[in-house]
Amino acid sequence: MDVNVKTEFLAKNAREAAEREDLIIVIDALRCCSTIVTALANGAKAIIPVKTLREAYKIRAMNSDYLLAGERGGVKPRGFDLGNSPLEYTRERVRGKTIVLTTTSGTTALALSKDSKHVFIGSFLNAKAVAEKAFEIASAEHMDISIVQSGTKGKFSLEDFICAGAIISRMPQKHIEMSDSALASLLAFKHAETDLCATVMKSSHSRKLIELGFKKDIEFSCRLDLFQITPIYREGKIVKGT
Ligand code: MLT
């Protein structure tokens, strides 16, 4: 039986995907999910995603060995150990650590997905790994897949749309049934693939990140299939998966 693959454009739509009991892949290519994937690939023990700064400070107050990480307006909030730049999450910095992470849109999409049985974290960096694992589980458990794009501050974002297409492109094409929006993502990715980073850099969020001095984060986040991991969000924590 074919697996239905759908996409959602905004973080808030994660709730509907969870209510449909779909397997969810949360994407925030710039930069939350790229940061999560990089941290776990570099040996972080777990990531605890939270929506608000208040929750993040509270969890850290109870666990002094946790790293406090994330952004508001793209920059590291006061008192935080790490920002939201994947390049900060080196092996030396994160190995063996639990990280409390709060970002503007990405951790909101995660929080709204939490009731789904299977929630994976996707990015360009692990597109193939997450596509294959999601397809395998959805196929075995007769579930649909919803790829939830976090968007940018409640609005559609180009990089997440193209990233959804990258993930779909790595699923067995003969065995999936795409919604119109999923197919549009795939077509956009195919169009952008040969010059992926240049296309992603045209998005409004990229332009903002470049202004803030984070151009290297965009270049890094566009590296397709760099990591073979499938981070999974379960019981409030994201761990590496296989
Ligand atoms: C978000 O979650 O809104 C983003 O990761 C923002 C950012 O690029 O820092």
Side-chain angles (χ1 to χ4, degrees):
M1 209 174 70
D2 287 355
V3 171
N4 291 315
V5 179
K6 304 164 236 173
T7 60
E8 297 287 354
F9 295 140
L10 302 174
K12 67 177 185 188
N13 301 130
R15 197 193 307 272
E16 292 140 48
E19 279 167 11
R20 292 195 298 264
E21 302 189 355
D22 289 354
L23 178 154
I24 295 179
I25 302 173
V26 174
I27 298 179
D28 183 6
L30 298 177
R31 296 165 292 173
C32 174
C33 293
S34 299
T35 293
I36 292 170
V37 168
T38 305
L40 292 168
N42 282 336
K45 187 173 166 195
I47 316 275
I48 302 176
V50 295
K51 264 170 82 171
T52 64
L53 290 173
R54 185 189 288 257
E55 285 171 274
Y57 286 124
K58 196 170 156 198
I59 294 175
R60 160 61 170 272
M62 292 185 305
N63 302 276
S64 59
D65 55 328
Y66 288 5
L67 292 175
L68 191 52
E71 59 72 37
R72 283 298 178 274
V75 297
K76 185 166 87 172
R78 192 169 42 85
F80 273 41
D81 303 299
L82 293 161
N84 190 30
S85 166
L87 296 169
E88 285 180 79
Y89 292 67
T90 58
R91 188 160 285 274
E92 297 68 42
R93 197 80 177 89
V94 302
R95 196 160 77 174
K97 296 284 188 187
T98 296
I99 300 167
V100 186
L101 179 71
T102 180
T103 71
T104 310
S105 312
T107 55
T108 301
L110 281 161
L112 295 175
S113 303
K114 71 175 188 345
D115 293 332
S116 179
K117 185 174 172 200
H118 299 289
V119 182
F120 292 100
I121 286 61
S123 64
F124 290 116
L125 298 172
N126 70 332
K128 183 168 188 289
V130 78
E132 289 174 352
K133 175 60 83 179
F135 178 82
E136 180 194 315
I137 293 178
S139 200
E141 300 191 19
H142 306 290
M143 295 173 85
D144 290 356
I145 295 175
S146 274
I147 302 181
V148 175
Q149 303 161 42
S150 301
T152 303
K153 291 190 185 162
K155 297 216 169 84
F156 175 89
S157 96
L158 177 71
E159 65 274 10
D160 289 345
F161 184 64
I162 294 175
C163 184
I167 292 171
I168 294 166
S169 76
R170 276 131 175 85
M171 292 179 181
Q173 304 296 295
K174 287 197 179 128
H175 300 290
I176 59 173
E177 189 75 49
M178 284 173 268
S179 67
D180 284 5
S181 60
L183 178 58
S185 270
L186 177 64
L187 295 173
F189 168 69
K190 284 189 173 163
H191 185 72
E193 191 175 4
T194 48
D195 212 357
L196 185 61
C197 194
T199 306
V200 166
M201 286 218 192
K202 289 180 185 157
S203 79
S204 59
H205 187 50
S206 289
R207 283 184 271 125
K208 162 96 180 157
L209 289 174
I210 291 167
E211 244 177 71
L212 291 170
F214 294 125
K215 186 174 178 192
K216 283 197 163 60
D217 286 359
I218 306 170
E219 288 162 351
F220 177 77
S221 300
C222 287
R223 293 180 65 183
L224 265 170
D225 303 324
L226 181 66
F227 299 124
Q228 297 307 308
I229 63 167
T230 53
I232 183 157
Y233 179 35
R234 191 167 283 158
E235 290 164 10
K237 284 188 179 169
I238 303 170
V239 293
K240 191 171 171 187
T242 48

PDB file of all heavy atoms in Angstrom, residues 1 6-7 10 15 40 48 69 71 95 136 152 154 157 161-162 165-168 170-171 186 194 200 229 234 242:
ATOM      1  N   MET A   1       0.831  -1.208   0.000  1.00  0.00           N
ATOM      2  CA  MET A   1       0.000   0.000   0.000  1.00  0.00           C
ATOM      3  C   MET A   1       0.871   1.267   0.000  1.00  0.00           C
ATOM      4  O   MET A   1       1.859   1.318   0.717  1.00  0.00           O
ATOM      5  CB  MET A   1      -0.885   0.012   1.254  1.00  0.00           C
ATOM      6  CG  MET A   1      -2.187   0.744   1.057  1.00  0.00           C
ATOM      7  SD  MET A   1      -3.266   0.585   2.499  1.00  0.00           S
ATOM      8  CE  MET A   1      -2.399   1.567   3.697  1.00  0.00           C
ATOM      9  N   LYS A   6       1.908  14.333   3.077  1.00  0.00           N
ATOM     10  CA  LYS A   6       1.307  15.677   3.015  1.00  0.00           C
ATOM     11  C   LYS A   6       2.301  16.675   3.592  1.00  0.00           C
ATOM     12  O   LYS A   6       3.214  16.292   4.327  1.00  0.00           O
ATOM     13  CB  LYS A   6       0.046  15.725   3.895  1.00  0.00           C
ATOM     14  CG  LYS A   6      -0.991  14.696   3.559  1.00  0.00           C
ATOM     15  CD  LYS A   6      -1.995  14.549   4.686  1.00  0.00           C
ATOM     16  CE  LYS A   6      -2.064  13.117   5.142  1.00  0.00           C
ATOM     17  NZ  LYS A   6      -2.888  12.909   6.332  1.00  0.00           N
ATOM     18  N   THR A   7       2.077  17.948   3.295  1.00  0.00           N
ATOM     19  CA  THR A   7       2.910  18.955   3.950  1.00  0.00           C
ATOM     20  C   THR A   7       2.015  20.011   4.574  1.00  0.00           C
ATOM     21  O   THR A   7       0.911  20.278   4.096  1.00  0.00           O
ATOM     22  CB  THR A   7       3.886  19.651   2.965  1.00  0.00           C
ATOM     23  OG1 THR A   7       3.124  20.291   1.962  1.00  0.00           O
ATOM     24  CG2 THR A   7       4.849  18.695   2.338  1.00  0.00           C
ATOM     25  N   LEU A  10       2.881  25.767   8.265  1.00  0.00           N
ATOM     26  CA  LEU A  10       3.119  26.603   9.451  1.00  0.00           C
ATOM     27  C   LEU A  10       3.222  25.770  10.718  1.00  0.00           C
ATOM     28  O   LEU A  10       2.579  24.709  10.836  1.00  0.00           O
ATOM     29  CB  LEU A  10       1.970  27.602   9.628  1.00  0.00           C
ATOM     30  CG  LEU A  10       1.707  28.552   8.454  1.00  0.00           C
ATOM     31  CD1 LEU A  10       0.465  29.377   8.700  1.00  0.00           C
ATOM     32  CD2 LEU A  10       2.916  29.459   8.220  1.00  0.00           C
ATOM     33  N   ARG A  15      -0.484  20.816  15.160  1.00  0.00           N
ATOM     34  CA  ARG A  15      -1.555  20.282  16.008  1.00  0.00           C
ATOM     35  C   ARG A  15      -2.522  19.425  15.187  1.00  0.00           C
ATOM     36  O   ARG A  15      -2.896  18.325  15.589  1.00  0.00           O
ATOM     37  CB  ARG A  15      -2.316  21.440  16.665  1.00  0.00           C
ATOM     38  CG  ARG A  15      -3.149  21.043  17.851  1.00  0.00           C
ATOM     39  CD  ARG A  15      -4.107  22.138  18.239  1.00  0.00           C
ATOM     40  NE  ARG A  15      -3.485  23.427  18.454  1.00  0.00           N
ATOM     41  CZ  ARG A  15      -2.972  23.843  19.611  1.00  0.00           C
ATOM     42  NH1 ARG A  15      -3.009  23.047  20.640  1.00  0.00           N
ATOM     43  NH2 ARG A  15      -2.452  25.039  19.732  1.00  0.00           N
ATOM     44  N   LEU A  40      23.053  16.628  17.946  1.00  0.00           N
ATOM     45  CA  LEU A  40      22.976  15.184  18.228  1.00  0.00           C
ATOM     46  C   LEU A  40      24.046  14.413  17.453  1.00  0.00           C
ATOM     47  O   LEU A  40      24.630  13.460  17.968  1.00  0.00           O
ATOM     48  CB  LEU A  40      21.565  14.661  17.921  1.00  0.00           C
ATOM     49  CG  LEU A  40      20.492  15.200  18.878  1.00  0.00           C
ATOM     50  CD1 LEU A  40      19.104  14.889  18.363  1.00  0.00           C
ATOM     51  CD2 LEU A  40      20.667  14.619  20.286  1.00  0.00           C
ATOM     52  N   ILE A  48      15.963  19.182  24.911  1.00  0.00           N
ATOM     53  CA  ILE A  48      14.605  19.402  25.432  1.00  0.00           C
ATOM     54  C   ILE A  48      14.086  20.685  24.778  1.00  0.00           C
ATOM     55  O   ILE A  48      14.539  21.789  25.110  1.00  0.00           O
ATOM     56  CB  ILE A  48      14.617  19.554  26.970  1.00  0.00           C
ATOM     57  CG1 ILE A  48      15.230  18.296  27.603  1.00  0.00           C
ATOM     58  CG2 ILE A  48      13.210  19.812  27.506  1.00  0.00           C
ATOM     59  CD1 ILE A  48      15.385  18.362  29.112  1.00  0.00           C
ATOM     60  N   ALA A  69      20.007  26.993  25.510  1.00  0.00           N
ATOM     61  CA  ALA A  69      20.337  27.347  24.128  1.00  0.00           C
ATOM     62  C   ALA A  69      19.120  27.867  23.373  1.00  0.00           C
ATOM     63  O   ALA A  69      17.981  27.534  23.697  1.00  0.00           O
ATOM     64  CB  ALA A  69      20.881  26.110  23.417  1.00  0.00           C
ATOM     65  N   GLU A  71      17.348  31.110  20.577  1.00  0.00           N
ATOM     66  CA  GLU A  71      17.388  32.488  20.070  1.00  0.00           C
ATOM     67  C   GLU A  71      16.054  33.193  20.252  1.00  0.00           C
ATOM     68  O   GLU A  71      15.010  32.547  20.387  1.00  0.00           O
ATOM     69  CB  GLU A  71      17.769  32.506  18.581  1.00  0.00           C
ATOM     70  CG  GLU A  71      16.829  31.715  17.643  1.00  0.00           C
ATOM     71  CD  GLU A  71      15.461  32.293  17.369  1.00  0.00           C
ATOM     72  OE1 GLU A  71      15.321  33.523  17.260  1.00  0.00           O
ATOM     73  OE2 GLU A  71      14.499  31.502  17.258  1.00  0.00           O
ATOM     74  N   ARG A  95      29.189  17.370  23.557  1.00  0.00           N
ATOM     75  CA  ARG A  95      29.216  15.915  23.780  1.00  0.00           C
ATOM     76  C   ARG A  95      28.746  15.542  25.190  1.00  0.00           C
ATOM     77  O   ARG A  95      29.220  16.098  26.171  1.00  0.00           O
ATOM     78  CB  ARG A  95      30.614  15.353  23.542  1.00  0.00           C
ATOM     79  CG  ARG A  95      30.552  13.833  23.376  1.00  0.00           C
ATOM     80  CD  ARG A  95      31.738  13.315  22.712  1.00  0.00           C
ATOM     81  NE  ARG A  95      32.812  13.283  23.699  1.00  0.00           N
ATOM     82  CZ  ARG A  95      33.998  12.768  23.471  1.00  0.00           C
ATOM     83  NH1 ARG A  95      34.286  12.270  22.309  1.00  0.00           N
ATOM     84  NH2 ARG A  95      34.914  12.756  24.392  1.00  0.00           N
ATOM     85  N   GLU A 136       9.751   3.964   6.255  1.00  0.00           N
ATOM     86  CA  GLU A 136       9.766   2.584   6.785  1.00  0.00           C
ATOM     87  C   GLU A 136       8.700   2.419   7.882  1.00  0.00           C
ATOM     88  O   GLU A 136       7.910   1.471   7.854  1.00  0.00           O
ATOM     89  CB  GLU A 136      11.172   2.335   7.354  1.00  0.00           C
ATOM     90  CG  GLU A 136      11.404   0.970   7.960  1.00  0.00           C
ATOM     91  CD  GLU A 136      12.697   0.975   8.797  1.00  0.00           C
ATOM     92  OE1 GLU A 136      13.731   1.520   8.320  1.00  0.00           O
ATOM     93  OE2 GLU A 136      12.659   0.449   9.918  1.00  0.00           O
ATOM     94  N   THR A 152       8.283  30.974   9.269  1.00  0.00           N
ATOM     95  CA  THR A 152       9.015  32.047   9.956  1.00  0.00           C
ATOM     96  C   THR A 152       8.017  33.008  10.576  1.00  0.00           C
ATOM     97  O   THR A 152       7.262  33.667   9.863  1.00  0.00           O
ATOM     98  CB  THR A 152       9.910  32.807   8.942  1.00  0.00           C
ATOM     99  OG1 THR A 152      10.790  31.853   8.332  1.00  0.00           O
ATOM    100  CG2 THR A 152      10.753  33.872   9.630  1.00  0.00           C
ATOM    101  N   GLY A 154       5.167  32.629  11.969  1.00  0.00           N
ATOM    102  CA  GLY A 154       3.775  32.446  11.553  1.00  0.00           C
ATOM    103  C   GLY A 154       3.531  32.578  10.065  1.00  0.00           C
ATOM    104  O   GLY A 154       2.395  32.538   9.603  1.00  0.00           O
ATOM    105  N   SER A 157       7.627  29.799   4.755  1.00  0.00           N
ATOM    106  CA  SER A 157       9.035  30.088   4.475  1.00  0.00           C
ATOM    107  C   SER A 157       9.568  29.214   3.340  1.00  0.00           C
ATOM    108  O   SER A 157       9.341  28.000   3.299  1.00  0.00           O
ATOM    109  CB  SER A 157       9.884  29.979   5.736  1.00  0.00           C
ATOM    110  OG  SER A 157      10.472  28.739   5.831  1.00  0.00           O
ATOM    111  N   PHE A 161       9.913  24.972   2.679  1.00  0.00           N
ATOM    112  CA  PHE A 161       9.160  24.390   1.552  1.00  0.00           C
ATOM    113  C   PHE A 161      10.091  23.549   0.673  1.00  0.00           C
ATOM    114  O   PHE A 161       9.779  22.411   0.305  1.00  0.00           O
ATOM    115  CB  PHE A 161       8.559  25.550   0.746  1.00  0.00           C
ATOM    116  CG  PHE A 161       7.669  25.139  -0.387  1.00  0.00           C
ATOM    117  CD1 PHE A 161       6.478  24.468  -0.151  1.00  0.00           C
ATOM    118  CD2 PHE A 161       8.010  25.440  -1.699  1.00  0.00           C
ATOM    119  CE1 PHE A 161       5.643  24.102  -1.209  1.00  0.00           C
ATOM    120  CE2 PHE A 161       7.179  25.085  -2.758  1.00  0.00           C
ATOM    121  CZ  PHE A 161       5.997  24.410  -2.508  1.00  0.00           C
ATOM    122  N   ILE A 162      11.266  24.106   0.391  1.00  0.00           N
ATOM    123  CA  ILE A 162      12.239  23.374  -0.443  1.00  0.00           C
ATOM    124  C   ILE A 162      12.797  22.179   0.322  1.00  0.00           C
ATOM    125  O   ILE A 162      13.007  21.097  -0.252  1.00  0.00           O
ATOM    126  CB  ILE A 162      13.370  24.324  -0.906  1.00  0.00           C
ATOM    127  CG1 ILE A 162      12.793  25.388  -1.845  1.00  0.00           C
ATOM    128  CG2 ILE A 162      14.487  23.559  -1.610  1.00  0.00           C
ATOM    129  CD1 ILE A 162      13.785  26.449  -2.281  1.00  0.00           C
ATOM    130  N   GLY A 165      10.606  19.268   0.129  1.00  0.00           N
ATOM    131  CA  GLY A 165      10.793  18.604  -1.169  1.00  0.00           C
ATOM    132  C   GLY A 165      12.047  17.735  -1.187  1.00  0.00           C
ATOM    133  O   GLY A 165      12.047  16.647  -1.778  1.00  0.00           O
ATOM    134  N   ALA A 166      13.103  18.197  -0.529  1.00  0.00           N
ATOM    135  CA  ALA A 166      14.337  17.399  -0.469  1.00  0.00           C
ATOM    136  C   ALA A 166      14.064  16.075   0.241  1.00  0.00           C
ATOM    137  O   ALA A 166      14.512  15.004  -0.197  1.00  0.00           O
ATOM    138  CB  ALA A 166      15.430  18.180   0.256  1.00  0.00           C
ATOM    139  N   ILE A 167      13.322  16.147   1.328  1.00  0.00           N
ATOM    140  CA  ILE A 167      13.013  14.923   2.087  1.00  0.00           C
ATOM    141  C   ILE A 167      12.128  13.998   1.243  1.00  0.00           C
ATOM    142  O   ILE A 167      12.381  12.794   1.137  1.00  0.00           O
ATOM    143  CB  ILE A 167      12.361  15.285   3.444  1.00  0.00           C
ATOM    144  CG1 ILE A 167      13.414  15.989   4.322  1.00  0.00           C
ATOM    145  CG2 ILE A 167      11.799  14.054   4.141  1.00  0.00           C
ATOM    146  CD1 ILE A 167      12.876  16.599   5.599  1.00  0.00           C
ATOM    147  N   ILE A 168      11.116  14.569   0.603  1.00  0.00           N
ATOM    148  CA  ILE A 168      10.215  13.746  -0.223  1.00  0.00           C
ATOM    149  C   ILE A 168      11.007  13.090  -1.369  1.00  0.00           C
ATOM    150  O   ILE A 168      10.756  11.939  -1.731  1.00  0.00           O
ATOM    151  CB  ILE A 168       9.046  14.600  -0.769  1.00  0.00           C
ATOM    152  CG1 ILE A 168       8.164  15.070   0.391  1.00  0.00           C
ATOM    153  CG2 ILE A 168       8.217  13.813  -1.780  1.00  0.00           C
ATOM    154  CD1 ILE A 168       7.184  16.177   0.032  1.00  0.00           C
ATOM    155  N   ARG A 170      13.746  11.858  -1.345  1.00  0.00           N
ATOM    156  CA  ARG A 170      14.510  10.708  -0.877  1.00  0.00           C
ATOM    157  C   ARG A 170      13.614   9.560  -0.406  1.00  0.00           C
ATOM    158  O   ARG A 170      14.094   8.595   0.189  1.00  0.00           O
ATOM    159  CB  ARG A 170      15.482  11.152   0.227  1.00  0.00           C
ATOM    160  CG  ARG A 170      16.756  11.705  -0.390  1.00  0.00           C
ATOM    161  CD  ARG A 170      17.186  13.023   0.164  1.00  0.00           C
ATOM    162  NE  ARG A 170      18.467  13.432  -0.398  1.00  0.00           N
ATOM    163  CZ  ARG A 170      18.623  14.082  -1.560  1.00  0.00           C
ATOM    164  NH1 ARG A 170      17.552  14.383  -2.291  1.00  0.00           N
ATOM    165  NH2 ARG A 170      19.813  14.411  -2.007  1.00  0.00           N
ATOM    166  N   MET A 171      12.325   9.667  -0.662  1.00  0.00           N
ATOM    167  CA  MET A 171      11.397   8.554  -0.372  1.00  0.00           C
ATOM    168  C   MET A 171      11.211   7.746  -1.650  1.00  0.00           C
ATOM    169  O   MET A 171      11.383   8.277  -2.747  1.00  0.00           O
ATOM    170  CB  MET A 171      10.050   9.104   0.095  1.00  0.00           C
ATOM    171  CG  MET A 171      10.133   9.779   1.445  1.00  0.00           C
ATOM    172  SD  MET A 171       8.528  10.447   1.953  1.00  0.00           S
ATOM    173  CE  MET A 171       8.978  11.176   3.516  1.00  0.00           C
ATOM    174  N   LEU A 186       8.256  19.129  -3.827  1.00  0.00           N
ATOM    175  CA  LEU A 186       9.215  18.280  -4.552  1.00  0.00           C
ATOM    176  C   LEU A 186       9.675  18.977  -5.842  1.00  0.00           C
ATOM    177  O   LEU A 186      10.872  19.004  -6.161  1.00  0.00           O
ATOM    178  CB  LEU A 186       8.561  16.925  -4.863  1.00  0.00           C
ATOM    179  CG  LEU A 186       9.399  15.952  -5.680  1.00  0.00           C
ATOM    180  CD1 LEU A 186      10.649  15.533  -4.902  1.00  0.00           C
ATOM    181  CD2 LEU A 186       8.587  14.704  -6.052  1.00  0.00           C
ATOM    182  N   THR A 194      20.284  22.101  -8.008  1.00  0.00           N
ATOM    183  CA  THR A 194      21.635  22.308  -8.536  1.00  0.00           C
ATOM    184  C   THR A 194      22.310  23.541  -7.930  1.00  0.00           C
ATOM    185  O   THR A 194      23.529  23.630  -7.940  1.00  0.00           O
ATOM    186  CB  THR A 194      21.605  22.466 -10.081  1.00  0.00           C
ATOM    187  OG1 THR A 194      20.579  23.398 -10.390  1.00  0.00           O
ATOM    188  CG2 THR A 194      21.355  21.142 -10.762  1.00  0.00           C
ATOM    189  N   VAL A 200      18.171  29.138  -1.455  1.00  0.00           N
ATOM    190  CA  VAL A 200      17.762  29.318  -0.054  1.00  0.00           C
ATOM    191  C   VAL A 200      18.120  30.725   0.425  1.00  0.00           C
ATOM    192  O   VAL A 200      17.372  31.365   1.165  1.00  0.00           O
ATOM    193  CB  VAL A 200      18.408  28.220   0.833  1.00  0.00           C
ATOM    194  CG1 VAL A 200      18.286  28.558   2.307  1.00  0.00           C
ATOM    195  CG2 VAL A 200      17.750  26.863   0.536  1.00  0.00           C
ATOM    196  N   ILE A 229      21.453  10.576  10.587  1.00  0.00           N
ATOM    197  CA  ILE A 229      20.725  10.345  11.847  1.00  0.00           C
ATOM    198  C   ILE A 229      19.267  10.780  11.701  1.00  0.00           C
ATOM    199  O   ILE A 229      18.933  11.624  10.874  1.00  0.00           O
ATOM    200  CB  ILE A 229      21.370  11.068  13.042  1.00  0.00           C
ATOM    201  CG1 ILE A 229      21.351  12.594  12.883  1.00  0.00           C
ATOM    202  CG2 ILE A 229      22.799  10.583  13.279  1.00  0.00           C
ATOM    203  CD1 ILE A 229      21.687  13.337  14.163  1.00  0.00           C
ATOM    204  N   ARG A 234      10.383  12.264  21.744  1.00  0.00           N
ATOM    205  CA  ARG A 234       9.476  11.398  22.494  1.00  0.00           C
ATOM    206  C   ARG A 234       9.575  11.736  23.980  1.00  0.00           C
ATOM    207  O   ARG A 234      10.679  11.930  24.483  1.00  0.00           O
ATOM    208  CB  ARG A 234       9.892   9.937  22.259  1.00  0.00           C
ATOM    209  CG  ARG A 234       8.895   8.939  22.752  1.00  0.00           C
ATOM    210  CD  ARG A 234       9.195   7.554  22.233  1.00  0.00           C
ATOM    211  NE  ARG A 234       8.808   7.363  20.839  1.00  0.00           N
ATOM    212  CZ  ARG A 234       9.314   6.431  20.041  1.00  0.00           C
ATOM    213  NH1 ARG A 234      10.263   5.640  20.460  1.00  0.00           N
ATOM    214  NH2 ARG A 234       8.881   6.297  18.811  1.00  0.00           N
ATOM    215  N   THR A 242      18.373   6.381  14.944  1.00  0.00           N
ATOM    216  CA  THR A 242      19.422   5.617  14.248  1.00  0.00           C
ATOM    217  C   THR A 242      19.677   6.223  12.877  1.00  0.00           C
ATOM    218  O   THR A 242      18.884   6.982  12.376  1.00  0.00           O
ATOM    219  CB  THR A 242      18.998   4.169  14.062  1.00  0.00           C
ATOM    220  OG1 THR A 242      17.679   4.168  13.548  1.00  0.00           O
ATOM    221  CG2 THR A 242      19.083   3.449  15.384  1.00  0.00           C
TER     222      THR A 242
END
